[in-house]
Amino acid sequence: SKERAAEMVYWRNIPSDQYFPGVTINSSAAAGQLKFLTFEPDRAGFNNVRLAFELAVVLAQAMGRTLVIPPKSTLWNMPGKDVCIPDFFEFDLRGLPVVSFESFLRQEALAGKLYDQNGKATYPPDNRTNWDGRIGIYGEDDKRLWTWMRSTSTILDWTPECVVLFSSDTALNVLPSILNGILREGEQEGGPEDLKYSGHPTPVNAPMMDRLREMLVGRNKVCSYSKELQDAKVIHLPGWDTNIPGNDETGHRLLLPFYALVFFEKWQADIRMKRLVRDHLRYADEIQCAAARIVNALRAAELKNGRDGTFDSLHLRRQDFTTVFSLVSSKSDDILSEKYLKENRTVYVATDETNSSWFDPLRTFNHLYFLDNFTHLIEGVDPSLFGLIEQMVVARGDVFVGTYYSTFSAYVNRIRGYHSQAKRLSGFSHGIVNSEYIGPDNTYRRVMKTYHSLEAPYHWAREW
């Protein structure tokens, strides 16, 4: 029903945001000439791929470029099925031109409009335009296609160590002095890792220098979208693949939340771009509705048992994380001993642990539910969507306990931040959500540059 589905809604319909213009340098000089942004899907699980997709959308929108969607491919944790990334989202950005990879190759490459570094027309391997199902994790065709794509485009040399500035020519001219001033301040205040922003957000409409100061905590480099980049016909975002020459994990793998990389001189552009991702890169309605059915069933079970209809949630990733974080490989009752979860609570558990008995100590003190308890509510739903459905379910728990380093947990926390703003929950004005990680607690904290960030409230506390 609409009433049940309404609980899942955190987004808003702001028509003007769909036509948000690009934030480019001398964009008028490029009038009439098509410019493109291509990108490689991250070669990992879905949530890493989602991060790369979000960043590509934001950069294409900011640059005023046409976004080229990669060919369908198999994802690491969705084996046996070739997928197109936008199909998982309500992707309805009318102000962003989008083309398929096949159309891009037909219209540009086969027409002789793409050139190598020597200015000679270059064509895709075997003159092939349809690469659906041919690329994937470390396949030979994957290597051939992306090696060629990198040779015929301008590759961004940005890394997670820098903040990428979209600004006017005037701001670019004074950037060196601004940066040096901020870095000197950091040295005077005891180094760049100070935590003065924890619990103290910089106002969304603060002057550029104040907002940039927070973004630069822990970093000392600013990159910019220069006129030279704007003039490039094709800009390419490479992915992480040591099978392709000149690429490794420490190079150009921009695997981090878009707001931890991109900075806009004008605060209005910053807030609109964050709304764009919140409102128009949300999971598809099929996913939201399936999650709503499970959440409603959880609350109904709680009320039937004489409780208050609330539940807590836990995401525990173990299969490939046992050597990364020791607690994840320990016994489940350690979660209780650390006071992450209170006793006698209903807890929805999303996990890759296949041994149900591992959770027996938790069952002694709590009422546990898993996806298996609700299969009757998701009959006919594509199994590849189950993980995304569970993200939306655990995001609605009163208390959420996630796994540090997991981009699945990180996205759950961002969705919880969205809900806190939409529903004005306790602590919303300071970016605080009632979440814990098997690691640090979550309050408002500065932007983190690395991909395993907790999804900082720098994003969700500022987009309204």
Side-chain angles (χ1 to χ4, degrees), residues 25 52 65 76 91 113 116 123 189 200 217 220 226 233 245 258 268 273 337 363 387 439:
I25 303 297
R65 293 177 174 270
W76 171 68
F91 188 47
K113 298 179 182 179
D116 62 19
Y123 303 90
E189 294 176 5
H200 303 285
V217 171
N220 58 11
S226 63
K233 180 182 181 65
F258 70 92
Q268 295 92 338
M273 196 66 77
S337 69
R363 287 190 179 92

Side-chain angles (χ1 to χ4, degrees), residues 175-451:
L175 181 60
S177 61
I178 291 176
L179 178 59
N180 289 333
I182 291 175
L183 295 179
R184 283 196 301 271
E185 290 175 3
E187 294 173 358
Q188 296 169 1
E189 294 176 5
E193 295 295 341
D194 68 279
L195 298 178
K196 68 178 183 178
Y197 296 106
S198 183
H200 303 285
T202 300
V204 66
N205 58 349
M208 170 187 167
M209 190 164 179
D210 291 343
R211 293 184 293 113
L212 184 60
R213 183 181 290 111
E214 178 174 358
M215 280 283 285
L216 280 169
V217 171
R219 291 180 277 194
N220 58 11
K221 182 180 179 182
V222 173
C223 303
S224 63
Y225 184 57
S226 63
K227 184 180 183 302
E228 290 71 25
L229 288 175
Q230 172 64 19
D231 289 342
K233 180 182 181 65
V234 180
I235 285 182
H236 183 68
L237 289 176
W240 169 42
D241 190 348
T242 55
N243 200 34
I244 297 177
N247 190 49
D248 56 51
E249 185 174 9
T250 60
H252 302 295
R253 191 190 192 196
L254 294 175
L255 185 59
L256 73 171
F258 70 92
Y259 58 83
L261 179 75
V262 180
F263 180 88
F264 295 96
E265 174 191 3
K266 296 182 178 180
W267 67 266
Q268 295 92 338
D270 176 76
I271 202 171
R272 291 185 73 179
M273 196 66 77
K274 289 171 180 173
R275 290 202 309 250
L276 178 149
V277 172
R278 182 198 66 194
D279 299 339
H280 301 289
L281 280 183
R282 59 180 178 84
Y283 283 164
D285 287 346
E286 179 184 11
I287 296 168
Q288 303 285 357
C289 291
R293 293 194 294 271
I294 295 174
V295 169
N296 180 73
L298 279 167
R299 298 201 188 284
E302 274 290 276
L303 292 171
K304 184 178 180 180
N305 292 326
R307 293 186 285 269
D308 62 1
T310 65
F311 67 96
D312 297 332
S313 54
L314 167 67
H315 171 234
L316 193 67
R317 179 172 172 179
R318 281 178 40 80
Q319 296 305 311
D320 59 343
F321 267 30
T322 53
T323 60
V324 175
F325 194 66
S326 59
L327 184 56
V328 183
S329 62
S330 64
K331 295 184 296 183
S332 65
D333 53 358
D334 286 340
I335 299 173
L336 273 177
S337 69
E338 295 293 335
K339 306 300 182 185
Y340 291 116
L341 293 172
K342 294 181 180 179
E343 296 182 6
N344 198 33
R345 291 282 294 168
T346 287
V347 180
Y348 183 91
V349 182
T351 184
D352 61 355
E353 175 56 63
T354 58
N355 180 12
S356 178
S357 64
W358 190 88
F359 293 95
D360 286 347
L362 273 177
R363 287 190 179 92
T364 304
F365 303 100
N366 293 283
H367 315 281
L368 302 190
Y369 288 88
F370 300 81
L371 188 63
D372 289 346
N373 297 113
F374 303 102
T375 54
H376 62 289
L377 297 177
I378 51 176
E379 290 182 359
V381 176
D382 186 340
S384 66
L385 303 180
F386 287 176
L388 287 62
I389 293 169
E390 287 203 280
Q391 280 183 300
M392 298 299 99
V393 172
V394 296
R396 298 305 296 128
D398 276 24
V399 174
F400 167 63
V401 179
T403 299
Y404 198 73
Y405 292 115
S406 167
T407 49
F408 180 109
S409 284
Y411 190 55
V412 168
N413 211 37
R414 189 204 298 180
I415 300 301
R416 290 173 62 75
Y418 288 153
H419 280 294
S420 76
Q421 298 296 305
K423 299 171 176 60
R424 297 300 193 254
L425 302 180
S426 176
F428 81 93
S429 61
H430 295 286
I432 296 172
V433 293
N434 198 6
S435 298
E436 299 282 351
Y437 279 78
I438 304 179
D441 66 307
N442 179 58
T443 58
Y444 182 89
R445 58 186 67 231
R446 62 178 177 80
V447 172
M448 293 185 172
K449 63 179 180 293
T450 49
Y451 83 94

